[in-house]
mmCIF file of all heavy atoms in Angstrom:
data_model
loop_
_atom_site.group_PDB
_atom_site.id
_atom_site.type_symbol
_atom_site.label_atom_id
_atom_site.label_comp_id
_atom_site.label_asym_id
_atom_site.label_seq_id
_atom_site.Cartn_x
_atom_site.Cartn_y
_atom_site.Cartn_z
ATOM 1 N N CYS A 280 4.679 3.617 -18.741
ATOM 2 C CA CYS A 280 3.513 4.474 -18.533
ATOM 3 C C CYS A 280 3.324 5.379 -19.749
ATOM 4 O O CYS A 280 3.806 6.515 -19.789
ATOM 5 C CB CYS A 280 3.681 5.292 -17.261
ATOM 6 S SG CYS A 280 2.108 5.823 -16.561
ATOM 7 N N THR A 281 2.655 4.836 -20.750
ATOM 8 C CA THR A 281 2.404 5.582 -21.980
ATOM 9 C C THR A 281 0.901 5.751 -22.161
ATOM 10 O O THR A 281 0.107 5.253 -21.379
ATOM 11 C CB THR A 281 3.001 4.838 -23.188
ATOM 12 O OG1 THR A 281 2.448 3.512 -23.222
ATOM 13 C CG2 THR A 281 4.515 4.740 -23.063
ATOM 14 N N GLY A 282 0.530 6.428 -23.201
ATOM 15 C CA GLY A 282 -0.883 6.657 -23.451
ATOM 16 C C GLY A 282 -1.329 8.010 -22.942
ATOM 17 O O GLY A 282 -0.580 8.754 -22.303
ATOM 18 N N GLY A 283 -2.577 8.319 -23.214
ATOM 19 C CA GLY A 283 -3.116 9.615 -22.841
ATOM 20 C C GLY A 283 -3.472 9.709 -21.368
ATOM 21 O O GLY A 283 -3.518 8.714 -20.649
ATOM 22 N N MET A 284 -3.722 10.935 -20.944
ATOM 23 C CA MET A 284 -4.132 11.192 -19.567
ATOM 24 C C MET A 284 -5.614 10.844 -19.401
ATOM 25 O O MET A 284 -6.404 10.937 -20.344
ATOM 26 C CB MET A 284 -3.924 12.665 -19.225
ATOM 27 C CG MET A 284 -2.472 13.079 -19.093
ATOM 28 S SD MET A 284 -1.729 12.430 -17.588
ATOM 29 C CE MET A 284 -0.073 13.126 -17.721
ATOM 30 N N PRO A 285 -6.012 10.453 -18.195
ATOM 31 C CA PRO A 285 -7.440 10.263 -17.935
ATOM 32 C C PRO A 285 -8.187 11.579 -18.059
ATOM 33 O O PRO A 285 -7.582 12.660 -18.139
ATOM 34 C CB PRO A 285 -7.471 9.746 -16.487
ATOM 35 C CG PRO A 285 -6.084 9.290 -16.189
ATOM 36 C CD PRO A 285 -5.182 10.127 -17.031
ATOM 37 N N SER A 286 -9.488 11.501 -18.052
ATOM 38 C CA SER A 286 -10.323 12.699 -18.118
ATOM 39 C C SER A 286 -9.996 13.642 -16.960
ATOM 40 O O SER A 286 -9.699 13.197 -15.849
ATOM 41 C CB SER A 286 -11.795 12.296 -18.047
ATOM 42 O OG SER A 286 -12.605 13.417 -17.763
ATOM 43 N N PRO A 287 -10.031 14.959 -17.197
ATOM 44 C CA PRO A 287 -9.815 15.910 -16.100
ATOM 45 C C PRO A 287 -10.769 15.693 -14.928
ATOM 46 O O PRO A 287 -10.418 16.012 -13.786
ATOM 47 C CB PRO A 287 -10.059 17.267 -16.767
ATOM 48 C CG PRO A 287 -9.759 17.040 -18.208
ATOM 49 C CD PRO A 287 -10.194 15.639 -18.495
ATOM 50 N N VAL A 288 -11.933 15.145 -15.194
ATOM 51 C CA VAL A 288 -12.867 14.857 -14.106
ATOM 52 C C VAL A 288 -12.264 13.831 -13.153
ATOM 53 O O VAL A 288 -12.473 13.881 -11.944
ATOM 54 C CB VAL A 288 -14.204 14.335 -14.679
ATOM 55 C CG1 VAL A 288 -15.140 13.892 -13.554
ATOM 56 C CG2 VAL A 288 -14.861 15.401 -15.530
ATOM 57 N N VAL A 289 -11.481 12.885 -13.700
ATOM 58 C CA VAL A 289 -10.867 11.832 -12.894
ATOM 59 C C VAL A 289 -9.673 12.354 -12.110
ATOM 60 O O VAL A 289 -9.425 11.927 -10.975
ATOM 61 C CB VAL A 289 -10.451 10.653 -13.795
ATOM 62 C CG1 VAL A 289 -9.647 9.609 -13.022
ATOM 63 C CG2 VAL A 289 -11.677 10.011 -14.422
ATOM 64 N N THR A 290 -8.922 13.266 -12.675
ATOM 65 C CA THR A 290 -7.684 13.729 -12.050
ATOM 66 C C THR A 290 -7.844 15.017 -11.249
ATOM 67 O O THR A 290 -6.900 15.436 -10.576
ATOM 68 C CB THR A 290 -6.604 13.953 -13.124
ATOM 69 O OG1 THR A 290 -7.066 14.936 -14.065
ATOM 70 C CG2 THR A 290 -6.305 12.655 -13.866
ATOM 71 N N ALA A 291 -9.001 15.653 -11.296
ATOM 72 C CA ALA A 291 -9.171 16.969 -10.666
ATOM 73 C C ALA A 291 -8.840 16.926 -9.176
ATOM 74 O O ALA A 291 -8.198 17.845 -8.642
ATOM 75 C CB ALA A 291 -10.599 17.465 -10.882
ATOM 76 N N TRP A 292 -9.264 15.862 -8.484
ATOM 77 C CA TRP A 292 -9.045 15.805 -7.043
ATOM 78 C C TRP A 292 -7.568 15.835 -6.685
ATOM 79 O O TRP A 292 -7.177 16.340 -5.630
ATOM 80 C CB TRP A 292 -9.690 14.551 -6.452
ATOM 81 C CG TRP A 292 -8.998 13.256 -6.805
ATOM 82 C CD1 TRP A 292 -9.210 12.497 -7.900
ATOM 83 C CD2 TRP A 292 -8.005 12.581 -6.025
ATOM 84 N NE1 TRP A 292 -8.403 11.382 -7.876
ATOM 85 C CE2 TRP A 292 -7.652 11.403 -6.732
ATOM 86 C CE3 TRP A 292 -7.386 12.845 -4.809
ATOM 87 C CZ2 TRP A 292 -6.705 10.500 -6.262
ATOM 88 C CZ3 TRP A 292 -6.433 11.949 -4.336
ATOM 89 C CH2 TRP A 292 -6.107 10.788 -5.050
ATOM 90 N N TRP A 293 -6.733 15.323 -7.583
ATOM 91 C CA TRP A 293 -5.301 15.250 -7.319
ATOM 92 C C TRP A 293 -4.688 16.647 -7.275
ATOM 93 O O TRP A 293 -3.736 16.883 -6.528
ATOM 94 C CB TRP A 293 -4.653 14.409 -8.416
ATOM 95 C CG TRP A 293 -3.537 13.539 -7.934
ATOM 96 C CD1 TRP A 293 -3.607 12.545 -7.015
ATOM 97 C CD2 TRP A 293 -2.182 13.597 -8.383
ATOM 98 N NE1 TRP A 293 -2.370 11.961 -6.866
ATOM 99 C CE2 TRP A 293 -1.481 12.575 -7.700
ATOM 100 C CE3 TRP A 293 -1.497 14.366 -9.308
ATOM 101 C CZ2 TRP A 293 -0.129 12.337 -7.897
ATOM 102 C CZ3 TRP A 293 -0.146 14.125 -9.502
ATOM 103 C CH2 TRP A 293 0.521 13.130 -8.799
ATOM 104 N N PHE A 294 -5.239 17.574 -8.082
ATOM 105 C CA PHE A 294 -4.737 18.947 -8.089
ATOM 106 C C PHE A 294 -5.329 19.757 -6.937
ATOM 107 O O PHE A 294 -4.699 20.689 -6.431
ATOM 108 C CB PHE A 294 -5.067 19.619 -9.428
ATOM 109 C CG PHE A 294 -4.369 18.998 -10.591
ATOM 110 C CD1 PHE A 294 -5.016 18.082 -11.407
ATOM 111 C CD2 PHE A 294 -3.049 19.313 -10.876
ATOM 112 C CE1 PHE A 294 -4.366 17.507 -12.487
ATOM 113 C CE2 PHE A 294 -2.385 18.738 -11.952
ATOM 114 C CZ PHE A 294 -3.041 17.829 -12.754
ATOM 115 N N VAL A 295 -6.543 19.393 -6.528
ATOM 116 C CA VAL A 295 -7.190 20.105 -5.423
ATOM 117 C C VAL A 295 -6.580 19.703 -4.078
ATOM 118 O O VAL A 295 -6.497 20.514 -3.150
ATOM 119 C CB VAL A 295 -8.707 19.819 -5.436
ATOM 120 C CG1 VAL A 295 -9.394 20.410 -4.207
ATOM 121 C CG2 VAL A 295 -9.329 20.381 -6.711
ATOM 122 N N LEU A 296 -6.124 18.457 -3.975
ATOM 123 C CA LEU A 296 -5.609 17.926 -2.708
ATOM 124 C C LEU A 296 -4.530 18.809 -2.081
ATOM 125 O O LEU A 296 -4.651 19.193 -0.907
ATOM 126 C CB LEU A 296 -5.086 16.505 -2.926
ATOM 127 C CG LEU A 296 -4.427 15.819 -1.719
ATOM 128 C CD1 LEU A 296 -5.462 15.530 -0.638
ATOM 129 C CD2 LEU A 296 -3.741 14.528 -2.133
ATOM 130 N N PRO A 297 -3.438 19.175 -2.783
ATOM 131 C CA PRO A 297 -2.420 20.007 -2.128
ATOM 132 C C PRO A 297 -2.916 21.393 -1.759
ATOM 133 O O PRO A 297 -2.446 21.977 -0.767
ATOM 134 C CB PRO A 297 -1.290 20.073 -3.167
ATOM 135 C CG PRO A 297 -1.922 19.722 -4.462
ATOM 136 C CD PRO A 297 -3.039 18.791 -4.143
ATOM 137 N N LEU A 298 -3.870 21.917 -2.517
ATOM 138 C CA LEU A 298 -4.401 23.242 -2.192
ATOM 139 C C LEU A 298 -5.179 23.214 -0.879
ATOM 140 O O LEU A 298 -5.004 24.101 -0.021
ATOM 141 C CB LEU A 298 -5.296 23.739 -3.332
ATOM 142 C CG LEU A 298 -4.621 23.912 -4.703
ATOM 143 C CD1 LEU A 298 -5.645 24.359 -5.742
ATOM 144 C CD2 LEU A 298 -3.470 24.902 -4.599
ATOM 145 N N ILE A 299 -6.020 22.218 -0.709
ATOM 146 C CA ILE A 299 -6.787 22.126 0.532
ATOM 147 C C ILE A 299 -5.865 21.787 1.699
ATOM 148 O O ILE A 299 -6.057 22.282 2.822
ATOM 149 C CB ILE A 299 -7.904 21.082 0.391
ATOM 150 C CG1 ILE A 299 -8.828 21.449 -0.760
ATOM 151 C CG2 ILE A 299 -8.706 20.989 1.683
ATOM 152 C CD1 ILE A 299 -9.956 20.455 -0.979
ATOM 153 N N ALA A 300 -4.848 20.955 1.458
ATOM 154 C CA ALA A 300 -3.888 20.642 2.518
ATOM 155 C C ALA A 300 -3.150 21.902 2.961
ATOM 156 O O ALA A 300 -2.916 22.110 4.159
ATOM 157 C CB ALA A 300 -2.898 19.583 2.032
ATOM 158 N N ALA A 301 -2.773 22.750 2.004
ATOM 159 C CA ALA A 301 -2.119 24.015 2.349
ATOM 160 C C ALA A 301 -3.054 24.908 3.150
ATOM 161 O O ALA A 301 -2.628 25.584 4.107
ATOM 162 C CB ALA A 301 -1.663 24.728 1.073
ATOM 163 N N LEU A 302 -4.339 24.921 2.789
ATOM 164 C CA LEU A 302 -5.321 25.677 3.573
ATOM 165 C C LEU A 302 -5.394 25.135 4.995
ATOM 166 O O LEU A 302 -5.498 25.903 5.959
ATOM 167 C CB LEU A 302 -6.683 25.610 2.897
ATOM 168 C CG LEU A 302 -7.840 26.284 3.644
ATOM 169 C CD1 LEU A 302 -7.572 27.775 3.819
ATOM 170 C CD2 LEU A 302 -9.161 26.051 2.903
ATOM 171 N N GLY A 303 -5.333 23.807 5.138
ATOM 172 C CA GLY A 303 -5.331 23.216 6.470
ATOM 173 C C GLY A 303 -4.157 23.682 7.288
ATOM 174 O O GLY A 303 -4.281 23.916 8.502
ATOM 175 N N LEU A 304 -3.010 23.838 6.656
ATOM 176 C CA LEU A 304 -1.834 24.337 7.372
ATOM 177 C C LEU A 304 -2.020 25.785 7.797
ATOM 178 O O LEU A 304 -1.677 26.168 8.919
ATOM 179 C CB LEU A 304 -0.599 24.197 6.481
ATOM 180 C CG LEU A 304 0.715 24.706 7.075
ATOM 181 C CD1 LEU A 304 1.041 23.995 8.384
ATOM 182 C CD2 LEU A 304 1.857 24.523 6.074
ATOM 183 N N VAL A 305 -2.580 26.606 6.910
ATOM 184 C CA VAL A 305 -2.838 28.011 7.259
ATOM 185 C C VAL A 305 -3.792 28.100 8.446
ATOM 186 O O VAL A 305 -3.581 28.885 9.384
ATOM 187 C CB VAL A 305 -3.424 28.757 6.036
ATOM 188 C CG1 VAL A 305 -3.902 30.148 6.439
ATOM 189 C CG2 VAL A 305 -2.379 28.845 4.927
ATOM 190 N N ILE A 306 -4.828 27.283 8.426
ATOM 191 C CA ILE A 306 -5.789 27.268 9.530
ATOM 192 C C ILE A 306 -5.118 26.851 10.823
ATOM 193 O O ILE A 306 -5.357 27.441 11.895
ATOM 194 C CB ILE A 306 -6.961 26.325 9.187
ATOM 195 C CG1 ILE A 306 -7.796 26.921 8.048
ATOM 196 C CG2 ILE A 306 -7.837 26.069 10.404
ATOM 197 C CD1 ILE A 306 -8.796 25.954 7.460
#
Side-chain angles (χ1 to χ4, degrees):
C280 204
T281 56
M284 289 288 181
S286 165
V288 174
V289 173
T290 60
W292 71 273
W293 217 61
F294 295 99
V295 173
L296 176 68
L298 299 178
I299 302 179
L302 176 61
L304 179 58
V305 171
I306 291 169

